[in-house]
Amino acid sequence: MCGIVAYLGEKKAYPIIIEGLKRLEYRGYDSAGIALLNGKMQVLKKKGKVSELENHASEQLENYDYSMGIGHTRWATHGVPNDVNAHPHTSNDGNISIIHNGIIENYDSIKKALIEKGHVFHSDTDTEVLAHLIGEIQKTEKLPLEEVVRLALKKCVGAYAIVVMDQNDPGKLVGAKFSSPLVLGIGDDEFFLASDASPIIKYTNKVIYLNDGEIVTIKRGKGYCIKNLSNETQNPKVSELDLKLEEIEKGGYDHFMLKEIFQQPTTVATSMKGRINSKEGWAILGGMKPNIARIAKSDRIILTACGTSWHSAMIGEYLLEDLARIPTEVEYASEFRYRNPIIKENDFIVALSQSGETADTLAAIKMAKAKGAYLYGIVNAVGSSIARETDSGSYIHAGPEIGVASTKAFTGQSTILALMALYLGHHKGLIEETYFRKLLAELESVPSKITKILAKDDHIKYIAGEIKNASNALYLGRGYNFPVALEGALKLKEISYIHAEGYPAAEMKHGPIALIDMYMPVIVLATNKSAYEKIVSNIQEVKARKGIVIAIVTEGDEIIKEIADFIIEIPEIEEPLTPLLSVIPMQLLAYHIAVMRGCHIDQPRNLAKSVTVE
Ligand code: M6R
């Protein structure tokens, strides 16, 4: 999704903004632009990568002597990706420039009214309409920029994070947020506004996460002031970022995705830190502790999420019903929010999100909150909107995930869900003590077992080479491995562009079996102890139709080795914890296939890391 960077201070703004835009590239975008102000405003925009904007700037920029400016990476919603639709957009008189993340839903009616007043539009975007609206109000009301922005936003319906700059009011930036993220960075005599902390961390660790409906005004030499849409001054909390620059760099890996896959022994261990002790026999989540009695008595748990987070939610459903015996439902946030669901007072609603900014998940929990539900967040991005909107929660502490394909967030979320199920099940007295301690010890062993799987990277790469030219792939799994099959298929399609589907293994014969021929790779997650014979039969059914079987098996499996074309062995683990291991080969397989096909690993086409629009 769109990325925002703005700077006001004593340093040269251009390199700071360009570097910041590069740090935000991971969010996904198709064009970029910048507006710089030093007496006169210069606006430069280019379709394509930030590097193309840089080339354009090296020809067009009159000088580099600007100490304030706004920059943007655009992920197209209204209008195709091109130079004209790229941000910043300017007001009718060209004095005001604006960058925007989100969608102004009522832009069409505002645009028509402005056209009647003589405004001429150049782009297809909703953002240009907002720029003109601000300009029009300024022309008629003659108020300070921040006040004009406030009045304009009161006329808008939709989502926005914006930064506005006026060449007639130099030394001032105005930012505002509603449903899209915006962070204020506070340095020494310098200020930053950005979509997340990554462009800011190099300069300061003091930030304010703006709340919905807040407008920040930054004035050179005078500091900042935050008001709400009713013009009331706010008392914001200044947070200290717990983020290091090296965490947002590749650290010697070819891609962020590979770095993040290989970080998992550490990130899973960090997700568990202070939350489990097999020797003493406890698992706990601090966010649940004060309300554990109430949560344990829940009639129902509803897990809501999108994409990969939805897949970990499915693992949560299996875990919570298996170990805590609480009826659990998994909801796509985008469906849940619109289908008038039944939410009862005694339901426990859990939102899962890596970014904490996914628009559908955020809207789903706002809807559930309005119906009186108790909300819990399992989130990676600290200080994000979902983390702040939920009543309590558990951070997964995986560190910044930059590759668009989610990997370490999945294992982090699944770890928290395992802890949640163990905590609840034990609290309810449902898990026999020896088995409970066994599960705790097994969970603690996951990081070292992931390390063992990562050591098979060359073997997995070899298999990737054997199937890299496939046009389709089928992923099959049973029980705890079914959500992993879905996740494996999603990983492959999003970064390699190979069509892939995940299925419960037994469902294959109800349709997908028709697709199997000698060109079809079928990845079978076959580590289950329960239903082992059934999954062996499924493999036989694929082989009988000449499909290419890649089986993920438990170490020492001699039976499937004889039938499958390729096997990837993973260490033995208690079945409820299997997904934490069986997903690792899925991630590596997708990664290597995509590399061999020459795909953009960290920024696959059309995708955004943080989906902040519906
Ligand atoms: O930040 P979130 O976890 O809320 O994001 C949800 C999905 O957009 C995300 O998981 C997406 O499916 C990833 N590209 C999957 O790799």
Side-chain angles (χ1 to χ4, degrees), residues 124-297:
D124 305 316
T125 66
D126 51 333
T127 306
E128 190 186 12
V129 175
L130 180 55
H132 280 234
L133 178 63
I134 292 169
E136 178 65 24
I137 295 174
Q138 191 186 53
K139 196 172 83 185
T140 50
E141 303 288 336
K142 309 263 185 281
L143 290 166
L145 183 64
E146 56 274 31
E147 187 52 13
V148 169
V149 169
R150 187 179 76 83
L151 295 177
L153 292 177
K154 287 190 85 157
K155 293 182 189 294
C156 293
V157 178
Y160 53 77
I162 57 166
V163 186
V164 188
M165 195 165 75
D166 178 359
Q167 70 174 350
N168 291 331
D169 195 355
K172 183 189 281 183
L173 288 177
V174 176
K177 167 201 152 62
F178 194 88
S179 279
S180 292
L182 192 63
V183 186
L184 169 69
I186 306 160
D188 293 335
D189 294 325
E190 60 181 0
F191 297 91
F192 306 80
L193 282 165
S195 298
D196 66 36
S198 58
I200 298 175
I201 187 63
K202 185 172 171 187
Y203 306 97
T204 177
N205 66 353
K206 287 199 183 59
V207 296
I208 293 172
Y209 295 98
L210 293 189
N211 291 312
D212 279 352
E214 288 185 342
I215 300 169
V216 57
T217 307
I218 304 165
K219 286 188 200 162
R220 193 183 294 284
K222 293 201 173 129
Y224 66 89
C225 169
I226 299 178
K227 293 189 172 182
N228 63 13
L229 283 171
S230 308
N231 212 18
E232 294 155 342
T233 303
Q234 306 295 294
N235 275 323
K237 178 174 164 270
V238 179
S239 307
E240 244 178 60
L241 289 173
D242 182 20
L243 176 71
K244 294 185 183 60
L245 200 54
E246 55 270 26
E247 287 183 69
I248 52 171
E249 288 174 343
K250 282 192 201 140
Y253 286 91
D254 288 344
H255 301 100
F256 279 109
M257 183 182 176
L258 191 62
K259 175 185 172 192
E260 288 154 10
I261 292 172
F262 273 82
Q263 277 182 315
Q264 289 175 107
T266 309
T267 54
V268 169
T270 312
S271 298
M272 285 190 271
K273 207 167 167 197
R275 292 166 166 166
I276 183 170
N277 189 322
S278 63
K279 290 200 180 68
E280 292 173 13
W282 53 263
I284 202 162
L285 288 173
M288 287 172 74
K289 201 175 165 201
N291 292 305
I292 187 66
R294 174 184 169 181
I295 297 167
K297 281 195 200 120

Side-chain angles (χ1 to χ4, degrees), residues 186-498:
I186 306 160
D188 293 335
D189 294 325
E190 60 181 0
F191 297 91
F192 306 80
L193 282 165
S195 298
D196 66 36
S198 58
I200 298 175
I201 187 63
K202 185 172 171 187
Y203 306 97
T204 177
N205 66 353
K206 287 199 183 59
V207 296
I208 293 172
Y209 295 98
L210 293 189
N211 291 312
D212 279 352
E214 288 185 342
I215 300 169
V216 57
T217 307
I218 304 165
K219 286 188 200 162
R220 193 183 294 284
K222 293 201 173 129
Y224 66 89
C225 169
I226 299 178
K227 293 189 172 182
N228 63 13
L229 283 171
S230 308
N231 212 18
E232 294 155 342
T233 303
Q234 306 295 294
N235 275 323
K237 178 174 164 270
V238 179
S239 307
E240 244 178 60
L241 289 173
D242 182 20
L243 176 71
K244 294 185 183 60
L245 200 54
E246 55 270 26
E247 287 183 69
I248 52 171
E249 288 174 343
K250 282 192 201 140
Y253 286 91
D254 288 344
H255 301 100
F256 279 109
M257 183 182 176
L258 191 62
K259 175 185 172 192
E260 288 154 10
I261 292 172
F262 273 82
Q263 277 182 315
Q264 289 175 107
T266 309
T267 54
V268 169
T270 312
S271 298
M272 285 190 271
K273 207 167 167 197
R275 292 166 166 166
I276 183 170
N277 189 322
S278 63
K279 290 200 180 68
E280 292 173 13
W282 53 263
I284 202 162
L285 288 173
M288 287 172 74
K289 201 175 165 201
N291 292 305
I292 187 66
R294 174 184 169 181
I295 297 167
K297 281 195 200 120
S298 301
D299 291 331
R300 190 173 56 151
I301 299 176
I302 299 174
L303 304 168
T304 187
C306 304
T308 286
S309 297
W310 187 87
H311 295 152
S312 53
M314 277 195 74
I315 293 166
E317 179 187 18
Y318 285 48
L319 283 162
L320 288 159
E321 294 206 340
D322 194 2
L323 301 174
R325 307 304 295 154
I326 302 176
T328 303
E329 290 168 18
V330 179
E331 295 273 358
Y332 282 115
S334 54
E335 291 296 315
F336 188 51
R337 61 181 290 198
Y338 283 123
R339 68 169 184 77
N340 194 17
I342 298 165
I343 296 171
K344 297 191 201 131
E345 210 179 285
N346 223 18
D347 288 338
F348 178 51
I349 302 205
V350 183
L352 296 103
S353 176
Q354 188 288 127
S355 63
E357 301 294 348
T358 301
D360 282 320
T361 312
L362 190 55
I365 59 170
K366 284 184 179 168
M367 176 274 291
K369 197 175 209 170
K371 291 182 185 246
Y374 180 73
L375 303 176
Y376 202 82
I378 299 180
V379 173
N380 191 32
V382 176
S384 56
S385 302
I386 293 171
R388 286 180 291 138
E389 199 66 39
T390 39
D391 296 304
S392 60
S394 302
Y395 282 120
I396 66 173
H397 296 306
E401 189 182 70
I402 297 190
V404 162
S406 185
T407 52
K408 62 178 179 172
F410 176 86
T411 44
Q413 289 163 341
S414 304
T415 302
I416 299 295
L417 288 161
L419 288 166
M420 184 180 269
L422 286 164
Y423 185 23
L424 278 170
H426 194 240
H427 178 86
K428 291 176 79 181
L430 295 174
I431 314 177
E432 192 271 316
E433 194 61 26
T434 318
Y435 182 51
F436 178 65
R437 286 191 182 234
K438 169 130 209 248
L439 283 174
L440 295 181
E442 290 268 84
L443 189 50
E444 285 173 337
S445 76
V446 166
S448 61
K449 288 180 176 168
I450 293 179
T451 304
K452 279 185 88 178
I453 302 170
L454 293 172
K456 296 179 195 290
D457 187 37
D458 283 345
H459 173 59
I460 297 170
K461 188 173 175 181
Y462 167 76
I463 298 172
E466 294 295 300
I467 59 170
K468 67 175 192 298
N469 295 322
S471 308
N472 300 286
L474 198 56
Y475 285 72
L476 304 176
R478 281 175 178 263
Y480 280 101
N481 271 328
F482 166 49
V484 183
L486 296 179
E487 175 60 7
L490 178 64
K491 286 288 87 83
L492 187 69
K493 67 186 136 194
E494 68 181 335
I495 59 166
S496 75
Y497 317 140
I498 295 174

Side-chain angles (χ1 to χ4, degrees), residues 13 31-32 44 61 88 111 132 143 172 197 230 252 265 293 418 439 505 582 584 593:
S31 55
L44 301 169
L61 212 54
K111 188 172 184 175
H132 280 234
L143 290 166
K172 183 189 281 183
S230 308
L439 283 174
S582 56
I584 309 294
I593 292 172

